[in-house]
Amino acid sequence: MTDDATSATIDPNARTSSHGFTADVARLLQMMAHSVYSERDVFLRELVSNAADASEKLRYEALSNEALAAQAGAPLVTIALDKDKRLLTVADNGVGMGRDELVSALGTIANSGTRAFLDKVGGAENKDGLGQGLIGQFGVGFYSVFMVADKVEVTTRRAGSDEAWLWTSDGKGSYEIAPAALEDAPVVGTRVALHLNSDSDEFLEAYRVEHVLREHSGAIAIPIEIIGAPGEEPRRISDGAALWTKPKSDISAEDYNDFYRQLAGQFDEPALTIHWRAEGRTEYTVLAFIPGSRPLDLFDPIRKSKSKLYVRRVLISKEVDLLPAWLRFVRLVVDSADIPLNVSREMAQQSPILGQIGKAITARVTQELTKLAENEPEKFASVWANFGAVVKEGLHEDPQRRDDIFKIARFATTRSAEKTRTLKDYVADLRENQTAIFYLVGHDRKRMAQSPQIEEFAARDVEVLLLDDPVDAFWVTSCVGFDGKPFKSVTQGAADISLVPQKEDAPQPPTPEAGAEVAMLVTKLKEALKEHVDDVRVSTRLRESAVCLIAPEHGLDRRLAQLLAEHGQGGALGKPVLEVNPRHAAILELARAPEGDEARDGYFLLLDLARIADGEPPIDASAFARRLTARLAKGGA
Ligand code: ADP
Ligand code: MG
């Protein structure tokens, strides 16, 4: 192979010539043939973007050439399908190609996208896969047509020329160039006809072609029409302007909704649409949506955000991870002129510019959510209901943005089961002498509101956050506090609210008369239950219930420990502390009961009752049943 782009044999009479592709092209074609199914549709993107380039070139040349100006009509790409002939044709009215241009443009890999692609896969070439998984991410150019066609004919007429040419190839190593009759050629521009191979029936279906084009149409700056079958009227499927590049005033709510549905693959309406252009050191445009409902993959363990990255309206990656995991439900397109065009997804992901853009977008989305929460609380409530559990992950793993997240986070509390509250609300309504933000973690808000552990809090009107998302158990232990107030679990350690005044209408509990007897009972309980509890103590948090379980002061919160155990992390659930209500009749009764098996049964019943109130099974279900039945047989005494 020579250094020349091609080796040609020219037939001087017919001016028809046969050429071999350069070695690199042959290699590329080989890779294309092995490409995976989902990447094959990039050929449409390539053809249409070439058409857009060609029409831009013609408009540029026309600036200084009046003859061309007369030829340059409104740019248009027309895609025609013919099932019978198995033909897909892409025609443009752009600048076209002369003979030499055809040789250099379609016979070599001078274009940078293809070069970059080959450089990238070059090292991996001998391994299996031949660079599979990469094709869709590169501008692989014109040669991608050979993924779907076994013969390609390019008929082209250079603007201002009275010659037309036909380029033909089967993509197997050589191509031919011959003169074309003017009446068979476009008046100006290029027509690429693909004889589709037997694997590519899908591209004879108008809906399929339309779908692929729509996916890319946002990026394609040329109007597109489709002729679904010979003789059919052309149908316009794209007006050639990327939605995000238009001024907001030219975009209807319906346009935004359509675009969102395409982007998110959902059929609802976005709850929030954010569209802005950043100017300054880095310039980019963002069109972002908060979905109106939960996407199916919201809790996918991969936890990656999936944004579409365009560079000057060329799609670089469909799934660039731009946002922190706690905003992974945001669907967005970002288009920047400041990112190098020929980058792979991996390289794009590492670009420092992209990192900056991601940060700026995160800040903006958070800010818009804050605004929505303030100005349209009802709308925000549905966003929070859908995505709050994900956003709260950020409290745990994104400490830098914790304060911002606290501004939008909403919580159910004992004050209002329906209306959620912010921590700011909570702190503003702190009770006299209240020094902490109290919370209860659990599964079910309704049952949590009935927990024995919060009885004393209710009597003193101390608000308790009811945290019922699994993630709550994590952030609440990793956050130091809010506004100088520490978070404190009502199921852990001693409840320190004795200095908070009681509610006026709170029923006054009888003063414990049996201090010494209860103290004795506590000692006996410790001994009898030592295998199951860490400690037993007199409670300051119970009013109506006899007993409850709490976590020791310096252990893990019980709910967090449960969650960790469920996920196979952390050892077994640590032993809890049993608290007894010194004013409760059942406790006093038991304190006065004579020692013996019956009293012992009573101790175990107390523990089991406390476990049941926490949603845990009794220690030994059959023993529990036997003990309880014996009590009932005695008339409940
Ligand atoms: P790239 O577009 O990155 O240059 P391609 O492989 O897509 O690479 O195309 C190679 C070249 O072929 C283009 O640079 C252009 O000169 C020429 N070309 C391809 N399609 C057309 C077209 N429809 N009209 C005019 N020129 C074209
Ligand atoms: Mg191209």
Side-chain angles (χ1 to χ4, degrees), residues 18-58:
S18 199
H19 310 248
F21 286 116
T22 61
D24 276 348
V25 174
R27 205 171 93 205
L28 178 69
L29 293 174
Q30 164 73 4
M31 285 175 201
M32 294 288 190
H34 289 274
S35 80
V36 294
Y37 174 79
S38 68
E39 294 169 331
R40 302 192 318 152
D41 60 19
V42 303
F43 82 92
L44 272 169
R45 172 189 80 185
E46 297 297 343
L47 291 181
V48 176
S49 78
N50 282 349
D53 292 348
S55 87
E56 223 144 64
K57 240 186 248 170
L58 177 54

Side-chain angles (χ1 to χ4, degrees), residues 447 562 610-617:
R447 223 184 64 198
Q562 274 168 357
R611 289 174 60 97
I612 289 166
D614 255 15
E616 283 175 47

Side-chain angles (χ1 to χ4, degrees), residues 68-133:
L68 290 191
Q71 286 197 326
L76 180 67
V77 183
T78 307
I79 295 172
L81 305 178
D82 185 336
K83 272 190 187 170
D84 295 339
K85 294 187 178 147
R86 300 187 57 79
L87 263 183
L88 182 154
T89 316
V90 177
D92 66 62
N93 54 3
V95 71
M97 285 172 274
R99 188 182 179 284
D100 294 346
E101 285 168 302
L102 263 181
V103 171
S104 69
L106 302 187
T108 64
I109 52 156
N111 81 82
S112 49
T114 312
R115 171 86 302 169
F117 173 77
L118 284 170
D119 288 348
K120 175 85 182 167
V121 296
E125 194 196 4
N126 295 325
K127 300 185 196 128
D128 53 351
L130 288 169
Q132 280 183 21

Side-chain angles (χ1 to χ4, degrees), residues 338 521 531:
D338 293 338
L521 174 66
E531 267 181 50

Side-chain angles (χ1 to χ4, degrees), residues 271-272 370-382:
L272 186 64
T370 315
K371 256 199 255 165
L372 185 72
E374 278 162 15
N375 304 336
E376 295 177 74
E378 287 188 4
K379 207 167 174 193
F380 179 79
S382 81

Side-chain angles (χ1 to χ4, degrees), residues 284-328:
Y284 55 90
T285 303
V286 179
L287 178 49
F289 301 93
I290 312 275
S293 57
R294 282 186 172 188
L296 290 173
D297 61 357
L298 186 60
F299 292 103
D300 189 298
I302 293 172
R303 300 176 71 247
K304 288 253 188 285
S305 70
K306 281 181 264 177
S307 302
K308 274 195 175 173
L309 172 66
Y310 289 87
V311 173
R312 281 177 238 118
R313 290 187 291 184
V314 175
L315 182 62
I316 297 296
S317 170
K318 287 183 194 175
E319 300 195 347
V320 69
D321 184 18
L322 210 53
L323 302 179
W326 58 273
L327 282 177
R328 62 184 176 272

Side-chain angles (χ1 to χ4, degrees), residues 216-260:
H216 298 288
S217 70
I220 294 166
I222 190 166
I224 303 172
E225 288 185 352
I226 190 163
I227 301 173
E232 255 180 34
E233 280 298 298
R235 214 154 29 84
R236 185 157 290 220
I237 57 174
S238 165
D239 64 4
L243 188 71
W244 61 86
T245 62
K246 295 184 186 179
K248 279 190 195 182
S249 53
D250 289 359
I251 306 176
S252 70
E254 213 27 61
D255 291 338
Y256 276 130
N257 286 353
D258 273 352
F259 189 85
Y260 158 76

